[in-house]
């Protein structure tokens, strides 16, 4: 859906909205947000929920929906398939830069400017202004303390090779997480170490890191071999019997925010307005 600005004098395109820097920018964006009344964000994780909550407190007239449709690969596939048939259902993305790179190559992202960009290091911004990396996830080891008390739990990557942990470990098969984790281990420990780790029966799951952490909470996956620190901090704060340890060198996964290049269709906006009662 497109809207007008006195400065632009005509219906604004997605590019014009994304790059608008007039003196009335804030009023212009708020007027458009009130008209649309909804925001659809495609994301792989739940860490952004506190930000969304504060956003909704500040802008209660915008009903915000987080559409968690899978991992980076699955979200990229969804977007590309929809753009291929001319169906535009989302507004923005919160994905790892690896996934966004594929969407950049397909030409479905829109560069944008924001005064908030002044708060970020230049290296956190994509060179063409297509996204900004807003957070990082550090990958260590998480475990269930009822199954493995701290004295018996793994503390380092080398510990994961011990026979008592065979078949007790799990990790997401997400390319942006598992791929970086394995790559970091190869660089730090060597290929032979990774082969030995695989022989210790680390199970791959077609689930997000948050979902793996939930399985560690229940004990189904006693050890999350590549755990996100934020997931385990959150679960522990809620009383779950889990701990997170920093095993030494860790793989870091970034999460960045981007805009899609096509305005959400009138048809889909009507669906959202009906669903949200706006």
């Amino acid at each position: 859906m497109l809207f007008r600005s006195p400065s632009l004098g005509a219906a604004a395109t997605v590019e014009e909205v994304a790059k608008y820097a007039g003196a009335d920018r804030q009023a212009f964006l708020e007027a458009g947000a009130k008209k649309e009344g909804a925001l659809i964000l495609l994301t792989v994780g739940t860490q952004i929920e506190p930000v969304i909550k504060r956003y909704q407190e500040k802008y209660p007239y915008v009903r915000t929906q987080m559409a968690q449709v899978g991992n980076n690969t699955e979200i990229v596939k969804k977007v590309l398939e929809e753009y291929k048939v001319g169906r535009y259902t989302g507004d923005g993305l919160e994905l790892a830069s690896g996934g966004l790179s594929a969407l950049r190559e397909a030409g479905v992202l829109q560069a944008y400017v924001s005064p908030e960009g002044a708060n970020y290091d230049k290296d956190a911004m994509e060179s063409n202004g297509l996204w900004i990396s807003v957070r990082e996830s550090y990958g260590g080891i998480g475990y269930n303390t009822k199954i493995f008390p701290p004295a018996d739990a793994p503390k380092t990557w080398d510990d994961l090779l011990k026979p008592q942990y065979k078949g007790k470990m799990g990790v997401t098969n997400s390319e942006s997480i598992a791929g970086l984790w394995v790559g970091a281990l190869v660089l730090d420990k060597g290929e032979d170490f990774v082969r030995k780790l695989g022989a210790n029966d680390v199970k791959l799951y077609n689930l997000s890191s948050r979902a793996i952490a939930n399985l560690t909470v229940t004990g189904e996956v006693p050890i999350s071999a590549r755990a996100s620190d934020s997931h385990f901090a959150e679960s522990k704060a809620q009383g779950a019997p889990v701990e997170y340890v920093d095993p030494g060198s860790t793989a870091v996964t970034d999460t960045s925010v981007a805009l899609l290049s096509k305005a959400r269709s009138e048809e889909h906006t009507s669906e959202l307005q009906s669903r949200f009662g706006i």
Side-chain angles (χ1 to χ4, degrees), residues 234-263:
E234 179 183 27
S235 294
K236 184 178 179 180
Q238 295 173 356
V242 294
E243 284 289 350
Y244 171 90
V245 295
D246 180 355
S249 60
T250 60
V252 179
T253 303
D254 74 289
T255 305
S256 301
V257 172
L259 293 178
L260 288 164
S261 63
K262 299 293 184 181

Short mmCIF file of all heavy atoms in Angstrom, two decimals, residues 234-263:
data_model
loop_
_atom_site.label_atom_id
_atom_site.label_comp_id
_atom_site.label_asym_id
_atom_site.label_seq_id
_atom_site.Cartn_x
_atom_site.Cartn_y
_atom_site.Cartn_z
N GLU A 234 17.29 -16.93 28.58
CA GLU A 234 15.85 -16.72 28.68
C GLU A 234 15.19 -17.90 29.40
O GLU A 234 14.37 -17.72 30.31
CB GLU A 234 15.24 -16.54 27.29
CG GLU A 234 13.73 -16.35 27.28
CD GLU A 234 13.17 -16.25 25.88
OE1 GLU A 234 13.78 -16.82 24.94
OE2 GLU A 234 12.12 -15.62 25.71
N SER A 235 15.54 -19.12 28.99
CA SER A 235 14.93 -20.31 29.60
C SER A 235 15.30 -20.43 31.08
O SER A 235 14.45 -20.76 31.92
CB SER A 235 15.37 -21.56 28.84
OG SER A 235 14.86 -21.55 27.52
N LYS A 236 16.55 -20.16 31.39
CA LYS A 236 16.99 -20.25 32.78
C LYS A 236 16.27 -19.22 33.65
O LYS A 236 15.88 -19.51 34.78
CB LYS A 236 18.50 -20.06 32.87
CG LYS A 236 19.06 -20.22 34.28
CD LYS A 236 20.57 -20.07 34.31
CE LYS A 236 21.11 -20.22 35.73
NZ LYS A 236 22.59 -20.07 35.78
N ALA A 237 16.07 -18.03 33.10
CA ALA A 237 15.37 -16.97 33.84
C ALA A 237 13.93 -17.37 34.13
O ALA A 237 13.34 -16.90 35.11
CB ALA A 237 15.41 -15.67 33.05
N GLN A 238 13.38 -18.24 33.31
CA GLN A 238 12.01 -18.72 33.50
C GLN A 238 11.95 -19.96 34.39
O GLN A 238 10.89 -20.55 34.57
CB GLN A 238 11.36 -19.00 32.15
CG GLN A 238 11.17 -17.75 31.29
CD GLN A 238 10.69 -18.06 29.89
OE1 GLN A 238 10.55 -19.22 29.50
NE2 GLN A 238 10.42 -17.02 29.12
N GLY A 239 13.10 -20.35 34.94
CA GLY A 239 13.13 -21.47 35.86
C GLY A 239 13.47 -22.82 35.26
O GLY A 239 13.39 -23.85 35.95
N ALA A 240 13.85 -22.86 33.99
CA ALA A 240 14.17 -24.13 33.35
C ALA A 240 15.51 -24.67 33.88
O ALA A 240 16.42 -23.91 34.20
CB ALA A 240 14.26 -23.95 31.83
N PRO A 241 15.64 -26.00 33.96
CA PRO A 241 16.87 -26.62 34.47
C PRO A 241 17.96 -26.70 33.40
O PRO A 241 18.32 -27.78 32.94
CB PRO A 241 16.40 -28.01 34.89
CG PRO A 241 15.32 -28.33 33.89
CD PRO A 241 14.62 -27.02 33.64
N VAL A 242 18.47 -25.56 32.99
CA VAL A 242 19.47 -25.52 31.93
C VAL A 242 20.61 -24.60 32.31
O VAL A 242 20.47 -23.70 33.15
CB VAL A 242 18.86 -25.05 30.59
CG1 VAL A 242 17.84 -26.05 30.06
CG2 VAL A 242 18.23 -23.66 30.73
N GLU A 243 21.75 -24.84 31.67
CA GLU A 243 22.92 -23.98 31.81
C GLU A 243 23.55 -23.80 30.44
O GLU A 243 23.40 -24.64 29.55
CB GLU A 243 23.94 -24.57 32.77
CG GLU A 243 23.59 -24.46 34.24
CD GLU A 243 23.69 -23.04 34.78
OE1 GLU A 243 24.21 -22.16 34.04
OE2 GLU A 243 23.23 -22.81 35.90
N TYR A 244 24.26 -22.69 30.30
CA TYR A 244 25.01 -22.39 29.07
C TYR A 244 26.46 -22.17 29.46
O TYR A 244 26.75 -21.51 30.47
CB TYR A 244 24.44 -21.14 28.41
CG TYR A 244 25.27 -20.62 27.25
CD1 TYR A 244 25.03 -21.05 25.95
CD2 TYR A 244 26.29 -19.69 27.47
CE1 TYR A 244 25.79 -20.57 24.89
CE2 TYR A 244 27.05 -19.20 26.42
CZ TYR A 244 26.80 -19.64 25.13
OH TYR A 244 27.55 -19.17 24.10
N VAL A 245 27.38 -22.74 28.68
CA VAL A 245 28.80 -22.53 28.94
C VAL A 245 29.49 -22.01 27.68
O VAL A 245 29.12 -22.37 26.56
CB VAL A 245 29.51 -23.82 29.42
CG1 VAL A 245 28.95 -24.26 30.76
CG2 VAL A 245 29.37 -24.94 28.39
N ASP A 246 30.49 -21.18 27.89
CA ASP A 246 31.32 -20.68 26.80
C ASP A 246 32.49 -21.65 26.66
O ASP A 246 33.35 -21.71 27.53
CB ASP A 246 31.82 -19.28 27.14
CG ASP A 246 32.71 -18.69 26.06
OD1 ASP A 246 33.02 -19.41 25.09
OD2 ASP A 246 33.10 -17.52 26.19
N PRO A 247 32.52 -22.44 25.57
CA PRO A 247 33.54 -23.48 25.43
C PRO A 247 34.86 -23.00 24.87
O PRO A 247 35.77 -23.80 24.62
CB PRO A 247 32.87 -24.46 24.47
CG PRO A 247 32.04 -23.58 23.60
CD PRO A 247 31.56 -22.45 24.46
N GLY A 248 35.00 -21.71 24.66
CA GLY A 248 36.23 -21.19 24.05
C GLY A 248 35.89 -20.38 22.83
O GLY A 248 35.03 -19.50 22.87
N SER A 249 36.50 -20.66 21.71
CA SER A 249 36.18 -19.95 20.47
C SER A 249 34.75 -20.30 20.05
O SER A 249 34.33 -21.45 20.12
CB SER A 249 37.16 -20.34 19.36
OG SER A 249 37.11 -21.73 19.12
N THR A 250 34.00 -19.30 19.64
CA THR A 250 32.60 -19.52 19.29
C THR A 250 32.28 -18.94 17.92
O THR A 250 32.89 -17.96 17.49
CB THR A 250 31.65 -18.88 20.32
OG1 THR A 250 31.90 -17.47 20.35
CG2 THR A 250 31.86 -19.46 21.70
N ALA A 251 31.32 -19.54 17.27
CA ALA A 251 30.81 -19.02 16.00
C ALA A 251 29.75 -17.97 16.32
O ALA A 251 28.93 -18.16 17.22
CB ALA A 251 30.22 -20.14 15.16
N VAL A 252 29.77 -16.88 15.60
CA VAL A 252 28.82 -15.79 15.84
C VAL A 252 27.88 -15.68 14.64
O VAL A 252 28.32 -15.60 13.49
CB VAL A 252 29.55 -14.45 16.05
CG1 VAL A 252 28.55 -13.32 16.27
CG2 VAL A 252 30.52 -14.56 17.22
N THR A 253 26.58 -15.71 14.91
CA THR A 253 25.57 -15.56 13.88
C THR A 253 24.95 -14.18 14.00
O THR A 253 24.51 -13.78 15.07
CB THR A 253 24.46 -16.62 14.02
OG1 THR A 253 25.05 -17.92 13.98
CG2 THR A 253 23.44 -16.49 12.90
N ASP A 254 24.92 -13.45 12.89
CA ASP A 254 24.32 -12.11 12.92
C ASP A 254 22.85 -12.19 12.51
O ASP A 254 22.42 -13.14 11.85
CB ASP A 254 25.06 -11.19 11.95
CG ASP A 254 24.71 -11.49 10.50
OD1 ASP A 254 25.15 -12.55 9.99
OD2 ASP A 254 24.00 -10.69 9.88
N THR A 255 22.09 -11.21 12.93
CA THR A 255 20.72 -11.07 12.47
C THR A 255 20.53 -9.63 12.03
O THR A 255 20.86 -8.69 12.76
CB THR A 255 19.71 -11.41 13.58
OG1 THR A 255 20.00 -12.72 14.08
CG2 THR A 255 18.29 -11.39 13.05
N SER A 256 20.02 -9.47 10.81
CA SER A 256 19.92 -8.15 10.21
C SER A 256 18.48 -7.84 9.82
O SER A 256 17.65 -8.75 9.66
CB SER A 256 20.81 -8.06 8.96
OG SER A 256 22.16 -8.33 9.30
N VAL A 257 18.19 -6.56 9.66
CA VAL A 257 16.85 -6.10 9.32
C VAL A 257 16.87 -5.54 7.90
O VAL A 257 17.72 -4.73 7.55
CB VAL A 257 16.36 -5.03 10.31
CG1 VAL A 257 15.05 -4.42 9.83
CG2 VAL A 257 16.18 -5.65 11.70
N ALA A 258 15.90 -5.99 7.09
CA ALA A 258 15.81 -5.54 5.69
C ALA A 258 14.35 -5.29 5.33
O ALA A 258 13.43 -5.76 5.99
CB ALA A 258 16.41 -6.60 4.76
N LEU A 259 14.17 -4.54 4.24
CA LEU A 259 12.83 -4.27 3.71
C LEU A 259 12.66 -5.00 2.39
O LEU A 259 13.60 -5.13 1.60
CB LEU A 259 12.64 -2.77 3.46
CG LEU A 259 12.62 -1.83 4.67
CD1 LEU A 259 12.46 -0.39 4.19
CD2 LEU A 259 11.50 -2.21 5.62
N LEU A 260 11.44 -5.45 2.13
CA LEU A 260 11.13 -6.06 0.84
C LEU A 260 10.77 -4.96 -0.15
O LEU A 260 10.27 -3.89 0.22
CB LEU A 260 9.98 -7.05 1.00
CG LEU A 260 10.37 -8.33 1.73
CD1 LEU A 260 9.15 -9.10 2.21
CD2 LEU A 260 11.24 -9.21 0.84
N SER A 261 11.02 -5.23 -1.42
CA SER A 261 10.94 -4.17 -2.44
C SER A 261 9.54 -3.89 -2.96
O SER A 261 9.31 -2.86 -3.59
CB SER A 261 11.85 -4.52 -3.62
OG SER A 261 11.42 -5.72 -4.24
N LYS A 262 8.59 -4.79 -2.71
CA LYS A 262 7.23 -4.61 -3.21
C LYS A 262 6.27 -4.30 -2.07
O LYS A 262 6.36 -4.90 -1.00
CB LYS A 262 6.75 -5.86 -3.95
CG LYS A 262 7.57 -6.23 -5.18
CD LYS A 262 7.43 -5.18 -6.27
CE LYS A 262 8.18 -5.60 -7.53
NZ LYS A 262 8.09 -4.59 -8.61
N ALA A 263 5.37 -3.37 -2.32
CA ALA A 263 4.36 -3.05 -1.31
C ALA A 263 3.40 -4.21 -1.18
O ALA A 263 3.06 -4.87 -2.16
CB ALA A 263 3.59 -1.79 -1.73
#
